[in-house]
Amino acid sequence: VQLQASGGGLVQAGDSLRLSCAASGRTFPSPAMGWFRQAPGREREFVASITRRRDTGYYADSAKGRFTISRDNAMHTMYLQMDNLKPEDTAVYYCAHGLRSDSIAYPRDLASYDYWGQGTLVTVSS
C-alpha cells in the first residue's frame, strides 16, 4: 500500500486548507486511518483519526472545532479539512493507515499504524 498526501501549502492565519491522502497499490479497507503532524524540532503528534465503520472522527484537542476528517472508502481516499488555521498548525502532515485493531483502540499512538504517507507541508503565516 502506498499513501500519497497532498494539499499542503503556504497560507495566512485564518485561512483554510484541505489535505488529501490517496491510497494505491494493494488497497483494502483499513479499520482506521489517521492524520499526524510534525513541526520542526518536535515529535510527530496525533491530529485526527477516523474508523471505517463510523463517519465521525476523533480529534486532538488542538484540532477540535477547526479540523474535520473524512474518508471515501470507494475511492480509497481520506481528507482533512482545516479551517481557521493558526501559525502553530505549521508542520508536515502525514497520513497513516492502520490494519490492526490497535488503530481503533489507540488512535493516538504512532505504533498503531502500519502504512505512512510521505507528508505534505503546511505553513501558516501570522
Side-chain angles (χ1 to χ4, degrees):
V1 176
Q2 292 81 45
L3 303 179
Q4 180 72 38
S6 62
L10 173 61
V11 296
Q12 294 184 334
D15 286 349
S16 298
L17 277 176
R18 188 192 194 203
L19 305 184
S20 299
C21 176
S24 61
R26 188 181 175 187
T27 57
F28 42 80
S30 299
M33 302 172 64
W35 287 98
F36 289 74
R37 68 186 183 186
Q38 187 166 17
R42 301 188 65 177
E43 295 185 350
R44 193 171 300 189
E45 65 178 9
F46 171 77
V47 175
S49 67
I50 188 168
T51 63
R52 173 176 174 75
R53 294 188 175 185
R54 297 187 63 183
D55 291 334
T56 55
Y58 175 65
Y59 300 91
D61 288 343
S62 59
K64 287 180 182 177
R66 299 189 299 124
F67 294 2
T68 304
I69 189 172
S70 60
R71 63 188 291 175
D72 182 336
N73 290 329
M75 297 298 294
H76 305 293
T77 304
M78 176 177 65
Y79 305 96
L80 184 68
Q81 176 68 38
M82 304 187 295
D83 298 319
N84 190 23
L85 283 161
K86 303 176 181 180
E88 51 263 43
D89 295 318
T90 294
V92 177
Y93 284 71
Y94 298 91
C95 58
H97 278 217
L99 305 181
R100 297 164 282 124
S101 59
D102 285 358
S103 59
I104 299 175
Y106 308 106
R108 294 176 176 267
D109 293 347
L110 277 70
S112 296
Y113 297 87
D114 301 279
Y115 294 98
W116 292 83
Q118 85 291 353
T120 185
L121 177 62
V122 173
T123 303
V124 185
S125 63
S126 57

